[in-house]
């Protein structure tokens, strides 16, 4: 057995956390020999509900779950954390865009960025889930100057999974037979689900599907607006699939990527090979190398269509950055 790692999760009484916490201590992400300590943050009005979640965690009797710490103080919840999964914040309701949450959620990440900076472990990695996740990640990063840039991730894996699933259905293939799907840009309706390099059973998805109009039309809008479709249908935003994507993200960030494939997450755009402006959290195709580093997959040819879409999502992120300039 290794020494336990400390995983901080915010928004512990919320619906995503309810689908996430129980899967962090069961070995499926960090492996069967890696004990974990959960350090869960909530706001005071939700502490009682969080105590109920803790009772359930205890009742799962997971051998790898060595301790559970709960607090309404980020300094306590982030103390020595090796991973911080920032889920806490308001979800959007029907008729809202994710960027409408900036005013409510942005300020949360000032305090949490500072607390991570001051209290987390030297090797901390941060995955921001709460929306608008790219801009919230930017706020937290800006307020944590001692945490290196390569530790910050905003979650676009749910979009990647949605895109892979749509491609598989259309191609009559299994989702496990789809690879090389990348989400570019913002976790928002302007994101570009990069279908041009996607493969189905190793062949270009575009060739297998044979319907570029569908890819540019229905496929794009289904993926871009899937979150809203779920809110309309369920009355609440995605939770189980969001938690699942958070776990997929971490798995991809700690294990080597299969050769030739990639995965998606928003990362700091500094020095990127696609000419995206610096100072954004932008989703790119990423590869985790055997030495543990995560890098952008460079040199992918992009059509004019793809370039236009990528510029549009970059423009939206620049606007969001403007709206939060006082938090940076
Ligand atoms: P929820 O309302 O069920 O839970 C959020 C929890 O966060 C609540 O319990 C609340 O008390 C807590 N919280 C609020 N402010 C906090 C703070 N300052 N510190 C700690 N906890 C705090 O919401 P949810 O459905 O779990 O969604 C959480 C967030 O995740 C939302 O912003 C949602 O839009 C976002 N989300 C992102 C993705 C993605 O793909 N990136 C997917 C789904 C949902
Ligand atoms: C999602 O993509 O399901 C989440 O970001 C929730 C939302 O507001 O769409």
């Amino acid at each position: 057995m290794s020494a336990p790692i400390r995983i901080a999760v915010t928004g512990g009484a919320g619906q995503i956390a309810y689908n996430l916490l129980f899967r962090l201590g069961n070995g499926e992400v960090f492996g069967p020999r890696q004990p974990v300590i959960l350090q869960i943050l909530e706001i005071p009005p939700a502490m009682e509900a969080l105590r109920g979640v803790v009772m359930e965690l205890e009742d799962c009797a997971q051998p790898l779950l060595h301790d559970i710490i709960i607090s309404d103080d980020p300094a306590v919840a982030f103390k020595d954390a090796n991973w911080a999964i920032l889920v806490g914040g308001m979800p959007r309701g029907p008729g809202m865009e994710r960027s409408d949450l900036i005013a409510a959620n942005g300020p949360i990440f000032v305090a949490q960025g500072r607390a991570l900076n001051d209290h987390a472990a030297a090797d901390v990695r941060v995955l921001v889930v709460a929306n608008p996740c790219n801009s919230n990640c930017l706020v937290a990063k800006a307020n944590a100057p001692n945490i290196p840039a390569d530790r910050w991730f905003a979650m676009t894996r749910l979009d990647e999974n949605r895109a892979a699933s749509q491609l598989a259905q259309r191609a009559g293939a299994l989702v496990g037979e789809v690879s090389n799907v990348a989400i570019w840009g913002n976790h928002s309706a302007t994101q570009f689900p990069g279908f041009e390099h996607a493969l189905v059973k190793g062949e270009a998805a575009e060739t297998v599907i044979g319907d570029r109009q569908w890819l540019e039309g229905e496929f794009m809008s289904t993926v871009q607006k899937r979150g809203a479709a779920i809110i309309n249908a369920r009355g609440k935003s995605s939770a189980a699939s969001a938690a699942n994507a958070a776990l997929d993200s971490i798995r991809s960030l700690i294990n080597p990527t299969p050769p030739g494939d990639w995965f998606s997450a928003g990362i700091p755009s500094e020095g990127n090979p696609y000419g995206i402006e610096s100072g954004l959290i932008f989703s790119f195709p990423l590869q985790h190398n055997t030495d543990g580093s995560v890098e952008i997959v460079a040199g992918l040819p992009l059509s004019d269509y793809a370039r236009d879409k990528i510029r549009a999502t970059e423009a939206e992120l620049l606007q969001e950055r403007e709206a939060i300039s006082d938090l940076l």
Side-chain angles (χ1 to χ4, degrees):
M1 281 286 165
S2 317
I5 53 169
R6 294 177 180 272
I7 307 171
V9 177
T10 71
Q15 52 152 7
I16 294 177
Y18 196 69
N19 288 276
L20 178 68
L21 292 166
F22 298 87
R23 298 176 63 187
L24 287 166
N26 70 2
E28 68 172 287
V29 177
F30 297 102
R33 302 186 56 77
Q34 179 58 67
V36 304
I37 295 173
L38 291 178
Q39 308 191 157
I40 313 174
L41 182 71
E42 255 300 349
I43 49 174
M47 287 304 283
E48 188 52 24
L50 178 56
R51 278 186 262 279
V53 175
V54 170
M55 287 186 236
E56 285 206 71
L57 279 165
E58 288 169 356
D59 296 351
C60 288
Q62 293 174 334
L64 290 171
L65 182 51
H66 279 202
D67 198 5
I68 307 167
I69 293 160
I70 64 170
S71 181
D72 57 12
D73 179 355
V76 175
F78 294 152
K79 177 135 182 54
D80 299 329
N82 307 104
W83 272 97
I85 312 175
L86 307 186
V87 182
M90 239 178 90
R92 65 174 166 156
M96 293 170 78
E97 287 303 324
R98 296 183 187 98
S99 55
D100 296 336
L101 296 169
I102 278 184
N105 287 347
I108 293 173
F109 294 86
V110 174
Q112 292 189 0
R114 287 181 188 150
L116 283 164
N117 189 69
D118 294 349
H119 302 285
D123 67 353
V124 69
R125 278 179 279 185
V126 186
L127 175 68
V128 181
V129 175
N131 280 319
C133 62
N134 298 57
S135 292
N136 289 339
C137 185
L138 190 64
V139 173
K141 175 180 175 289
N143 287 280
N146 298 334
I147 300 180
D150 63 358
R151 311 293 181 71
W152 297 94
F153 307 95
M155 189 169 94
T156 56
R157 181 55 167 270
L158 180 52
D159 308 294
E160 179 187 323
N161 288 350
R162 288 167 172 167
S165 184
Q166 293 300 314
L167 292 173
Q169 283 178 40
R170 185 72 177 190
L174 297 172
V175 75
E177 295 171 328
V178 177
S179 67
N180 299 77
V181 179
I183 302 300
W184 298 77
N186 201 2
H187 173 60
S188 76
T190 68
Q191 68 178 269
F192 176 49
F195 58 80
E196 292 181 345
H197 303 102
L199 304 177
V200 177
K201 297 184 197 170
E203 238 193 288
E206 208 175 324
T207 312
V208 175
I209 290 170
D211 188 349
R212 173 90 191 188
Q213 213 184 336
W214 177 81
L215 288 163
E216 288 188 12
E218 197 180 325
F219 166 74
M220 285 274 291
S221 79
T222 299
V223 178
Q224 290 171 327
K225 297 183 189 150
R226 188 68 155 192
I230 290 168
I231 291 168
N232 289 337
R234 245 171 57 86
K236 291 185 212 158
S237 63
S238 62
S241 57
N244 185 67
L247 300 172
D248 280 346
S249 304
I250 296 173
R251 231 182 258 115
S252 291
L253 289 166
I254 61 178
N255 294 303
T257 312
D261 201 359
W262 51 71
F263 64 96
S264 316
I267 61 165
S269 57
E270 278 75 5
N272 74 86
Y274 292 100
I276 301 301
E277 181 147 329
S278 290
L280 298 176
I281 299 291
F282 197 92
S283 183
F284 291 102
L286 302 177
Q287 210 154 27
H288 177 283
N289 299 317
T290 38
D291 68 0
S293 62
V294 171
E295 65 181 13
I296 299 172
V297 177
L300 294 178
L302 294 166
S303 68
D304 289 346
Y305 171 84
R307 277 179 206 285
D308 279 357
K309 297 292 170 201
I310 289 171
R311 288 292 157 224
T313 194
E314 179 189 29
E316 183 186 48
L317 280 168
L318 287 165
Q319 262 176 21
E320 284 187 20
R321 187 174 71 182
E322 194 56 41
I324 50 168
S325 55
D326 55 328
L327 306 179
L328 300 176

